[in-house]
Amino acid sequence: MKRLLASVMALSLVAGGCSASAEDEPVVVLASWTGEEEKAFRQVLDAFKADTGIDYLYEGTRAVDQVLASDVQRGTPPDVAVLPNAGVLAKYQKSGDLLPLDEDLSGAVTRSFSQQWVTLQQIGTERLYAVAVKADLKSLIWYDPARMTGARPTTFAGLREYAAGLTAAGGTPWCVGMGAPPASGWPGTDWIEDILLHSAGPEKYRQWAAGGLEWTSPEVRQAWLDWGSVLEPAAIRGGTAAALLTDFGDAGKPMFTDPPGCALEHQASFIMSRYQNFERPDGTFPKPGTDFDFLPFPGRDVSEVAADLAGMFQDTPGARKLIAFLASEKAQRIWPSIPRANAFSANRKAGLDVYPDQVSRRVADTITSASALCFDASDLMPATMTGAFHRAVLEYLSNRDRLDILLKQLDDVRESIQPGEWLKIHCGQ
C-alpha cells in the first residue's frame, strides 16, 4: 500500500509541477474491519478528513496481524494500524516499530478514560502507545426475555441447571459457533476466560494471562471442565460438529426463529449488531430489550472486556492527528450513533446519550464506569500462546478425553515463551 501511495504521489508531483508536504499525503490505515464494519469506520475517517483536510487510504482485512507483520518486515508499514490484540501491539512496541504518542495526547486520554483503560493503552509500559477505537463487554449471556421466565441464574451452577432443564424439556440451550477464520476457536477461549475469572478471581486470572499460572493448575483445569459440563453435546444446537463448523456471527440466528433453535448464547456486546440485522421471515428484525437482552456472566462481580487498539507505525503529522482524533469525544461518538452498528466507546466523556436503547446503555455504562474490569486474556498473551489456545479449544470440543494432554501441550508452549514477551496488566479493582 505504501509503495502504491508513493507512486501516486510521484505522478501527482510530476503532473502538478509542485512539491507536497507530509500533511498533504493521505494517512494509510490498516484494520480488521470489512463489510458493514468497514462502512462504519469509514464514517469516522470521513469525519477526520472533514475536520483536518487530510485524506486517508484504508485497507481492511481479517488477516490484519499477518498483513501488518509482512508490511513491517518489508519496511512499508501503514501510518496507523488498528489491532484487536494488545499482545501483538506489545510485540511491535518491544521491537521499536510501534511508536509512542505525544505527551499532550497522554493527558487527554488520562482525562477521558478510566485508569484501567489507560493502562491497556500504555501496552504494559509507562507511556501511551495506543488508543482504544472501540471496546466490547464480553461477560454476557444473551437470551430472549419473552422466553426466559422466573429467576435469572446468578451462579454458574444455576446456569448449568437452567440449561439442563431446557434440555430435559426437549429444547436446546446453547447457540454455539467456533468458526472465525483465521482465528477459529476464539469464542471458546472467551468461555474459559470468563469461567476462570468468575470462579478463581481476578488475581489468578491476571497471573494466568501473564504466563505465571500453569495451564495444568487446578484453577485453569477446572475452568475447562466446567465449560465442558455446561456445553454437553446434547446442549449445543446441532451438536459438537455443528459448533465447530458454524461461523460465530451466525450462531445466534436460531434464537430468533419460531420455535427457537437454541435459547442462550455466550458472546460479546458486538453481537448486538448481528442480532439486529437478522431478518425474520415476516421482514422484521430483532429489537434490543424486546427480543434479546443479557445476563451478566454468573459469579464474581467482575467483567471481561476487549478493545480494538490504534497504534502509530509512521511518525507523520497526519498519523499523529488521526490518532488524536480517534481518541477524541467527537470521534468516539460517531460509531456508537450509527443505527444497528452497536459499537461501544471506553471514553467516559463520549457519554451514554449516544446509545439508542437501554441494553446498549447498560453495556456502555459497564465498559466506562465499572471498577472491576479484566482484559481478554488471550488478547494479552503472545501470539504463539494465543494460537495454541485457539487450537486446543477446538480439539477439546471434538474430544473431551484429551483435556490433560491438551493442557500439558499448552504448558509446553507457555514454557517456550521468553518472560519478557508476556504482558502484565492490572486486572480487577
Side-chain angles (χ1 to χ4, degrees):
M1 184 181 287
K2 276 287 187 179
R3 285 176 289 186
L4 172 62
L5 175 60
S7 299
V8 171
M9 291 300 298
L11 289 173
S12 298
L13 292 177
V14 171
C18 60
S19 61
S21 70
E23 289 198 31
D24 292 328
E25 294 189 19
V27 179
V28 179
V29 185
L30 174 69
S32 64
W33 298 308
T34 59
E36 292 301 314
E37 289 180 314
E38 176 178 336
K39 291 178 185 178
F41 184 50
R42 282 182 179 273
Q43 290 192 38
V44 179
L45 295 176
D46 288 342
F48 165 73
K49 180 179 177 180
D51 270 16
T52 64
I54 301 172
D55 206 350
Y56 66 87
L57 290 174
Y58 175 76
E59 180 181 0
T61 171
R62 292 300 181 190
V64 64
D65 293 355
Q66 295 88 332
V67 171
L68 179 60
S70 176
D71 288 349
V72 168
Q73 186 176 28
R74 292 200 309 265
T76 59
D79 295 307
V80 173
V82 187
L83 296 176
N85 189 310
V88 173
L89 274 177
K91 177 186 70 173
Y92 290 113
Q93 184 273 326
K94 290 181 175 67
S95 67
D97 295 295
L98 178 68
L99 306 177
L101 304 179
D102 287 334
E103 291 299 326
D104 289 344
L105 182 57
S106 296
V109 167
T110 301
R111 290 189 296 273
S112 300
F113 294 81
S114 70
Q115 185 54 51
Q116 291 186 90
W117 285 104
V118 172
T119 300
L120 180 68
Q121 293 170 105
Q122 290 172 333
I123 317 294
T125 73
E126 297 298 320
R127 300 188 65 179
L128 186 71
Y129 276 91
V131 164
V133 178
K134 69 182 186 75
D136 277 295
L137 183 60
K138 290 209 160 188
S139 299
L140 305 174
I141 305 290
W142 297 95
Y143 68 97
D144 181 345
R147 290 168 172 155
M148 179 182 278
T149 58
R152 307 320 195 221
T154 57
T155 64
F156 190 77
L159 180 64
R160 184 162 43 204
E161 290 169 9
Y162 177 79
L166 291 175
T167 303
T172 303
W174 292 103
C175 315
V176 183
M178 292 290 130
S184 293
W186 68 254
T189 70
D190 282 358
W191 262 108
I192 292 164
E193 289 160 1
D194 252 335
I195 293 170
L196 181 65
L197 175 60
H198 288 86
S199 59
E203 180 54 27
K204 288 289 185 182
Y205 178 92
R206 185 200 64 78
Q207 292 174 15
W208 171 64
L213 182 65
E214 295 180 348
W215 290 81
T216 50
S217 68
E219 298 89 347
V220 177
R221 185 175 186 275
Q222 188 61 49
W224 285 76
L225 291 171
D226 286 344
W227 183 46
S229 72
V230 78
L231 284 193
E232 291 286 348
I236 301 171
R237 183 179 184 276
T240 299
L244 294 171
L245 296 173
T246 300
D247 183 87
F248 74 93
D250 295 329
K253 283 183 178 179
M255 197 158 52
F256 304 103
T257 60
D258 190 14
C262 47
L264 305 166
E265 184 174 24
H266 174 261
Q267 191 52 273
S269 53
F270 68 77
I271 205 65
M272 289 182 68
S273 175
R274 298 292 187 123
Y275 290 167
Q276 291 184 88
N277 286 286
F278 289 159
E279 185 173 6
R280 292 181 285 207
D282 62 1
T284 63
F285 296 87
K287 295 180 180 179
T290 302
D291 299 300
F292 63 89
D293 204 339
F294 69 83
L295 303 170
F297 197 90
R300 297 169 189 257
D301 185 17
V302 60
S303 295
E304 182 185 4
V305 292
D308 292 279
L309 299 164
M312 188 172 68
F313 286 78
Q314 298 274 10
D315 191 356
T316 67
R320 288 189 173 274
K321 286 186 177 181
L322 176 57
I323 290 286
F325 181 78
L326 292 175
S328 70
E329 175 185 334
K330 178 177 181 177
Q332 295 270 325
R333 288 175 61 88
I334 294 171
W335 203 334
S337 70
I338 299 171
R340 299 195 300 199
N342 293 109
F344 298 91
S345 171
N347 187 318
R348 292 177 295 188
K349 292 188 176 182
L352 299 181
D353 63 295
V354 71
Y355 298 99
D357 58 84
Q358 188 59 38
V359 176
S360 296
R361 286 190 284 274
R362 284 167 54 211
V363 170
D365 187 47
T366 301
I367 289 172
T368 56
S369 302
S371 59
L373 297 176
C374 291
F375 299 105
D376 184 303
S378 59
D379 286 352
L380 300 178
M381 294 174 181
T384 303
M385 190 77 260
T386 301
F389 192 6
H390 290 168
R391 292 188 295 273
V393 159
L394 300 177
E395 288 192 48
Y396 177 62
L397 272 185
S398 299
N399 186 350
R400 314 295 175 91
D401 294 335
R402 283 181 52 81
L403 178 59
D404 289 332
I405 296 172
L406 293 172
L407 294 179
K408 176 61 170 62
Q409 290 173 344
L410 288 168
D411 267 335
D412 290 343
V413 174
R414 181 183 67 89
E415 291 169 5
S416 72
I417 296 171
Q418 296 298 315
E421 295 182 47
W422 294 91
L423 261 181
K424 295 176 174 59
I425 290 182
H426 176 73
C427 175
Q429 294 182 319

